Amino acid sequence: ISEATTRLRDWLIAEMSAKRYKAEINEETLIHRLHLEKHLKSRKKDRLQQQLTKAIQVSQHLGIILDVEEQQGVMGQKKYVFKLNKDFD
């Protein structure tokens, strides 16, 4: 399991413990939160996207994320909206 996957899982569980079951985050903020800046700096955007996708898929398989949407934010940036499982143990 990658560090990015673990960090995403921990952040989502923290959101659920704060009784927030819909988490919205800009892609750039998510990249920093998961410590994936090294891929961005080295211009490996395909590797970066692969790491993000894998981290999200693992959290979905664990049952933390029920649904994920990619939307456009107010400033035109890409953002992710995660619907979290209230019944996750």
Side-chain angles (χ1 to χ4, degrees):
I1 297 176
S2 70
E3 180 181 350
T5 301
T6 305
R7 288 182 182 274
L8 178 62
R9 181 204 63 198
D10 292 347
W11 174 66
L12 293 173
I13 289 174
E15 288 291 303
M16 288 189 302
S17 68
K19 306 280 188 236
R20 292 186 292 259
Y21 300 106
K22 182 179 178 185
E24 296 184 16
I25 189 167
N26 290 331
E27 183 178 47
E28 186 176 327
T29 307
L30 183 60
I31 290 168
H32 291 294
R33 186 174 295 272
L34 302 183
H35 294 263
L36 294 173
E37 302 96 350
K38 60 186 175 274
H39 297 302
L40 197 58
K41 290 177 184 173
S42 65
R43 300 175 192 246
K44 295 182 180 178
K45 295 195 184 235
D46 56 335
R47 178 78 174 140
L48 171 68
Q49 197 60 44
Q50 184 182 33
Q51 288 286 318
L52 281 175
T53 302
K54 183 171 178 154
I56 292 169
Q57 286 176 345
V58 168
S59 292
Q60 284 179 312
H61 288 301
L62 289 173
I64 298 170
I65 298 174
L66 295 176
D67 188 34
V68 61
E69 290 182 38
E70 294 179 16
Q71 297 180 350
Q72 187 172 357
V74 176
M75 304 292 283
Q77 77 280 16
K78 183 177 180 181
K79 75 175 185 177
Y80 292 91
V81 179
F82 300 106
K83 182 179 175 190
L84 306 178
N85 186 357
K86 294 179 184 178
D87 301 321
F88 180 77
D89 292 330

